[in-house]
Amino acid sequence: MSIRYSRRLVLPTLLLAVSISFGFGIPATSETITGTRFEQYTQWQNLPLQEYLRVILADEEGAVALGPLDPLIATKPHSFGYHEVRVLCADLEAARNAVELIKAGDSLPVHRVFWYQDKVSEPPPNGLRAALVTFENGPSIVVTTINQMRFLVWARETLMESRLQVDPEALREYARAVSDYLFALDKGFDEASAPIATEYNLPEEVDFYARPPDYVIEGYQNYKDFLGVHAPIHTDYATGILSFVPGDSLLQAIKAGAPEALFPNKEAPMFQEEYRKFLERGGDVRTLKTLTREGFDTLQAGEYFFAVGANGTVRFGRELLRDEVERIEQETGRKVPRANHAFLFPGEAILTAGAFFIARDTVPRIVEVNAQSGHYFYSNVSATIRDDIAVRSDYYLGTLGHFFIALDSLGIPYDGVLISKM
């Protein structure tokens, strides 16, 4: 293993002996999915079906095959959309195109397609507007839009949580209004107004755009400085350093020791508002991609944020540096739409997240990777950020083993990659 200094952080470094047998132990919490729940979550992925859909949809811009939104939710009549493998589409047109492509596939004949869109024809279960596609051999999938996925994420925290002591009929009425609002957006009515929960005699926390909690650490620079203090690595194989280039044996150990844990979005209260800002500013979810060997060869130099889903798929987007965003906004007078980790597998728990850096001469090369993610790892709205970061930050570093396993499966090289926590 060789050590390099990170260009982003300058602190004293110290290299200790490398241990090839190590683990990343951390107690399970409500913020991680481990043990039996991890096994159940991953077993629901139906990887062959997802791979079939990826092949079918390869040329359809704005449609991606993903795993179930939340397979651990108890099966109930209104859990439609949580257990099925999904085709997530940018808009209604992409959803219609995806259904036609799936129907045309001859390897897995379609038995039935039912669109839950128009309440006149049949009320959709739990308010979701989507297409339910069943195949002749039994499995079914849901083809849905980004906005309808947003509905499911919100409904999971409201309609399906018995802790809410509210008038159930008022909640159902409000849910229908939320579904109507999102469907109006899907139909191109960009000026549609979001319904307000208090107007339905419901508490503010039920609102589709409920106000998120305040940041624990005020000021972005103060937050970054706090993270920087915990940037040095303290593991079985190295301590006191900021980054390292692992040898083959250490890389194998990192991959073998990648924890069997999934991480939900810690900043879920901000999820809907972030989507609203992104879409209103002209953001296009088509800019978020699934990593492939062919696609990797087209990547330009720069920073990319990524996440690895429970199915082992890598999704990514181009990162815009804060200084660059501020420059563009000052020059144009318009807010820049910015996607984030939570948009890659929206509403799903993930195996790891962070950023990779591409250098390019004749071909692209992954030169750096880190496990930096506010949404999944270092949430500034998490009350425990000050308490648990010292232990957790080194644990998160170990999750990068899943990223390297995915790169291996795609045949993407990463020789000499520089690894860091942040």
Side-chain angles (χ1 to χ4, degrees):
M1 177 179 70
S2 59
I3 301 300
R4 295 181 188 169
Y5 291 90
S6 167
R7 67 168 180 262
R8 296 183 302 280
L9 294 166
V10 181
L11 290 175
T13 64
L14 173 66
L15 173 62
L16 295 187
V18 174
S19 170
I20 300 305
S21 176
F22 61 90
F24 299 94
I26 190 171
T29 73
S30 60
E31 295 177 335
T32 58
I33 296 172
T34 58
T36 301
R37 295 177 70 238
F38 174 85
E39 295 174 0
Q40 292 173 338
Y41 201 110
T42 54
Q43 286 170 0
W44 276 89
Q45 296 301 306
N46 197 338
L47 298 181
L49 178 57
Q50 289 191 51
E51 183 58 31
Y52 171 76
L53 292 169
R54 288 195 192 97
V55 173
I56 291 292
L57 301 170
D59 296 325
E60 175 56 35
E61 190 75 10
V64 59
L66 298 176
L69 182 65
D70 198 337
L72 300 182
I73 288 180
T75 302
K76 299 177 181 177
H78 58 280
S79 63
F80 167 58
Y82 291 96
H83 301 123
E84 294 87 358
V85 167
R86 297 169 301 144
V87 174
L88 187 60
C89 301
D91 50 36
L92 276 175
E93 181 180 2
R96 295 188 187 102
N97 292 342
V99 169
E100 292 306 310
L101 287 171
I102 294 168
K103 287 167 63 177
D106 53 8
S107 297
L108 200 58
V110 170
H111 170 65
R112 183 173 184 250
V113 176
F114 190 90
W115 282 96
Y116 291 102
Q117 281 193 358
D118 188 346
K119 290 189 294 184
V120 174
S121 61
E122 181 175 334
N126 72 5
L128 176 67
R129 269 66 175 274
L132 176 65
V133 181
T134 58
F135 297 97
E136 290 184 1
N137 66 343
S140 61
I141 64 170
V142 168
V143 181
T144 185
T145 64
I146 290 290
N147 279 320
Q148 290 303 308
M149 174 279 306
R150 294 172 63 194
F151 176 83
L152 283 178
V153 172
W154 170 80
R156 179 176 60 192
E157 308 301 326
T158 53
L159 301 180
M160 305 185 73
E161 290 288 340
S162 58
R163 60 180 173 80
L164 292 171
Q165 302 299 318
V166 298
D167 179 357
E169 182 51 42
L171 186 57
R172 282 192 290 270
E173 184 180 357
Y174 181 61
R176 287 192 291 269
V178 170
S179 181
D180 290 344
Y181 158 70
L182 291 169
F183 193 43
L185 294 181
D186 270 338
K187 291 188 291 185
F189 300 121
D190 296 336
E191 302 302 320
S193 299
I196 307 300
T198 54
E199 295 179 359
Y200 292 76
N201 296 317
L202 295 168
E204 291 183 355
E205 59 264 31
V206 173
D207 200 275
F208 186 69
Y209 291 114
R211 183 181 182 276
D214 294 330
Y215 287 127
V216 176
I217 301 172
E218 294 184 8
Y220 180 74
Q221 189 57 49
N222 291 333
Y223 168 67
K224 294 292 289 183
D225 291 344
F226 171 75
L227 295 182
V229 171
H230 296 279
I233 298 165
H234 298 282
T235 65
D236 291 349
Y237 52 89
T239 187
I241 60 174
L242 294 178
S243 55
F244 62 94
V245 176
D248 291 341
S249 58
L250 181 54
L251 266 174
Q252 292 303 317
I254 290 174
K255 288 184 283 189
E260 291 190 342
L262 289 159
F263 302 89
N265 180 10
K266 290 185 178 182
E267 300 196 350
M270 307 168 72
F271 183 76
Q272 304 295 354
E273 186 63 36
E274 288 172 335
Y275 255 115
R276 173 157 69 176
K277 289 179 180 178
F278 178 74
L279 297 174
E280 287 181 349
R281 293 172 183 177
D284 189 347
V285 295
R286 294 176 178 85
T287 60
L288 306 177
K289 302 292 187 179
T290 298
L291 189 62
T292 64
R293 184 66 183 87
E294 298 74 20
F296 177 76
D297 290 339
T298 68
L299 295 183
Q300 299 302 308
E303 180 180 354
Y304 296 83
F305 60 95
F306 77 90
V308 180
N311 56 11
T313 299
V314 180
R315 298 267 295 155
F316 70 98
R318 184 67 183 266
E319 182 65 81
L320 292 176
L321 299 179
R322 182 171 286 258
D323 290 346
E324 180 68 7
V325 170
E326 292 177 352
R327 181 189 65 79
I328 294 173
E329 291 181 345
Q330 288 176 359
E331 291 179 358
T332 64
R334 299 177 60 185
K335 288 291 185 179
V336 174
R338 299 189 69 186
N340 57 53
H341 284 116
F343 291 6
L344 299 173
F345 293 91
E348 294 184 61
I350 53 92
L351 289 167
T352 189
F356 63 84
F357 297 78
I358 295 288
R360 189 177 182 105
D361 33 46
T362 56
V363 295
R365 295 179 295 112
I366 296 179
V367 293
E368 294 186 39
V369 63
N370 65 43
Q372 169 66 48
S373 173
H375 282 83
Y376 292 101
F377 295 153
Y378 302 111
S379 169
N380 198 16
V381 299
S382 175
T384 62
I385 185 173
R386 294 184 183 276
D387 304 326
D388 60 20
I389 186 173
V391 174
R392 288 180 177 273
S393 59
D394 293 303
Y395 177 63
Y396 298 145
L397 181 68
T399 68
L400 289 176
H402 294 293
F403 179 60
F404 298 129
I405 291 171
L407 294 181
D408 289 343
S409 69
L410 294 170
I412 295 175
Y414 48 93
D415 300 334
V417 65
L418 184 69
I419 300 175
S420 61
K421 292 197 296 190
M422 303 172 187

